[in-house]
Amino acid sequence: MGRRIKDAIKKDWQLWLMILPALLYIIIFCYGPMYGIQLAFRKYDFSKGLTGGDWVGFQYFIQYFESPMFFTTLRNTFVISFFTLVCGFPVPIMLALVINSLKQKRLKRVVQTAVYMPYFISTVVMVAILQILLSPSTGVMSHLLRGMHLIPESVNLLGTPSAFVPVYVLSGIWQSAGWNSIIFIAALSSVDGQLYDAAKVDGASRWQQVIHVELPAIVPTIIILLIMNMGRVLSVGFEKVFLMQNDLNLSVSEVISTYVFNIGVQSGQFSFGSAVGLFNTVINFAFLMIANMISKRAADISLM
């Protein structure tokens, strides 16, 4: 085994050299911090460090399960993740199909650039834009929605619990759909042109070409990305939720990541916060493995 690895490295040393920075990044910033996982099972003591506290086992996990915030944070995290996945995952696919159907190269480049640009807006700026557009008094979107009689006159969209999830999900789709479509556009570019010619000879319409030629070509990519997204089903982004959070929408915006920050960092309960974060990671890993297993049995496509 060791001999084969050495031969592979010797044969393709240029490729291994190219991925070396990525490997170092993963080792240092992903596997290195795993040393601190034991903090979830110890009573943290500043004077003793990570490994010097008393071993308490699953005490902090049980404390979280019995906490009144357990169901609230789990529900809020799942609801936001579910609607983000259900509403946000198909949009990049549809966008890629639309961009791929454009025949004029210049128009295609303009559309691609336009839909990619929102992704480069920072989260802080993005939330600031939402606050400006959805301001009850001066927000353009608020006045537009009131003029269309879609919301009451006095409603504050950023302070209304029922509006938090739609605003979060729709703004996320607008910001990331274009960027997420890149991989699907790349997959569509590899479709053999002879398949299109054969479909046209058979009298297939443009819609039928999409259904019978393009979608089957990107199904493996769709399944792989869906499996990877299932591994982040409870990993709602901390920054955006935290910046959109306020006292009015706290009942629906307090997710696991913000709860870990509030209870672990601000309150100084580092062991308890570590236990909650580890629980979140274990659940995500379980979802990933289940989705991978189902995909492997149903479509013979999997991550491993």
Side-chain angles (χ1 to χ4, degrees):
M1 184 66 179
R3 178 70 177 176
R4 293 197 312 184
I5 294 176
K6 290 180 180 179
D7 292 340
I9 294 176
K10 185 177 181 180
K11 180 181 179 181
D12 301 315
W13 66 269
Q14 298 95 336
L15 297 178
W16 285 99
L17 187 63
M18 288 177 61
I19 67 172
L20 182 60
L23 290 175
L24 291 176
Y25 176 86
I26 293 174
I27 293 172
I28 295 172
F29 294 102
C30 296
Y31 285 96
M34 291 181 68
Y35 175 77
I37 288 179
Q38 59 183 301
L39 188 60
F41 304 94
R42 293 182 180 275
K43 186 176 181 180
Y44 182 65
D45 189 335
F46 284 95
S47 62
K48 298 180 180 179
L50 292 178
T51 60
D54 296 333
W55 185 268
V56 295
F58 292 96
Q59 174 183 326
Y60 295 110
F61 293 92
I62 297 173
Q63 180 181 339
Y64 176 55
F65 297 152
E66 295 177 348
S67 168
M69 291 301 297
F70 171 70
F71 177 75
T72 301
T73 54
L74 193 63
R75 180 200 61 200
N76 294 344
T77 305
F78 181 79
V79 168
I80 294 176
S81 297
F82 175 80
F83 284 104
T84 299
L85 181 63
V86 171
C87 300
F89 187 77
V91 175
I93 301 173
M94 294 185 288
L95 185 59
L97 293 172
V98 171
I99 293 175
N100 187 67
S101 66
L102 298 176
K103 301 303 180 183
Q104 298 182 9
K105 292 185 178 180
R106 186 173 182 180
L107 176 61
K108 190 174 183 178
R109 288 197 295 267
V110 170
V111 172
Q112 284 180 297
T113 302
V115 297
Y116 294 167
M117 286 180 64
Y119 181 79
F120 297 98
I121 301 175
S122 70
T123 305
V124 176
V125 175
M126 180 65 187
V127 175
I129 292 174
L130 289 177
Q131 292 174 346
I132 294 172
L133 294 177
L134 301 178
S135 172
S137 56
T138 60
V140 175
M141 289 300 299
S142 295
H143 285 293
L144 178 63
L145 293 174
R146 290 194 189 98
M148 298 172 65
H149 302 287
L150 295 178
I151 61 174
E153 287 291 332
S154 59
V155 71
N156 178 7
L157 291 175
L158 291 178
T160 304
S162 60
F164 179 84
V165 175
V167 170
Y168 180 93
V169 172
L170 293 176
S171 61
I173 293 174
W174 174 79
Q175 186 177 21
S176 61
W179 182 262
N180 291 336
S181 67
I182 292 177
I183 190 169
F184 297 110
I185 295 174
L188 287 170
S189 66
S190 64
V191 178
D192 191 347
Q194 294 180 356
L195 295 176
Y196 290 105
D197 296 336
K200 291 177 182 178
V201 169
D202 291 338
S205 64
R206 184 70 187 97
W207 175 250
Q208 290 173 326
Q209 291 177 38
V210 171
I211 297 298
H212 299 290
V213 176
E214 295 181 349
L215 278 179
I218 62 174
V219 162
T221 304
I222 294 174
I223 293 177
I224 292 297
L225 289 179
L226 182 60
I227 293 173
M228 295 177 67
N229 275 278
M230 289 300 295
R232 299 192 299 267
V233 70
L234 289 183
S235 294
V236 176
F238 165 78
E239 296 88 356
K240 188 176 178 181
V241 175
F242 184 74
L243 292 170
M244 292 178 62
Q245 196 175 79
N246 54 58
D247 292 337
L248 298 176
N249 61 29
L250 193 61
S251 60
V252 296
S253 63
E254 183 74 345
V255 295
I256 293 178
S257 57
T258 58
Y259 182 65
V260 169
F261 174 77
N262 292 329
I263 203 71
V265 178
Q266 292 189 331
S267 299
Q269 301 181 46
F270 299 107
S271 295
F272 182 63
S274 300
V276 177
L278 181 58
F279 165 77
N280 187 25
T281 303
V282 170
I283 297 300
N284 283 334
F285 179 75
F287 273 110
L288 174 66
M289 297 304 296
I290 293 172
N292 188 71
M293 180 182 64
I294 293 175
S295 173
K296 189 172 185 178
R297 291 186 177 181
D300 198 25
I301 300 174
S302 62
L303 296 176
M304 51 187 175

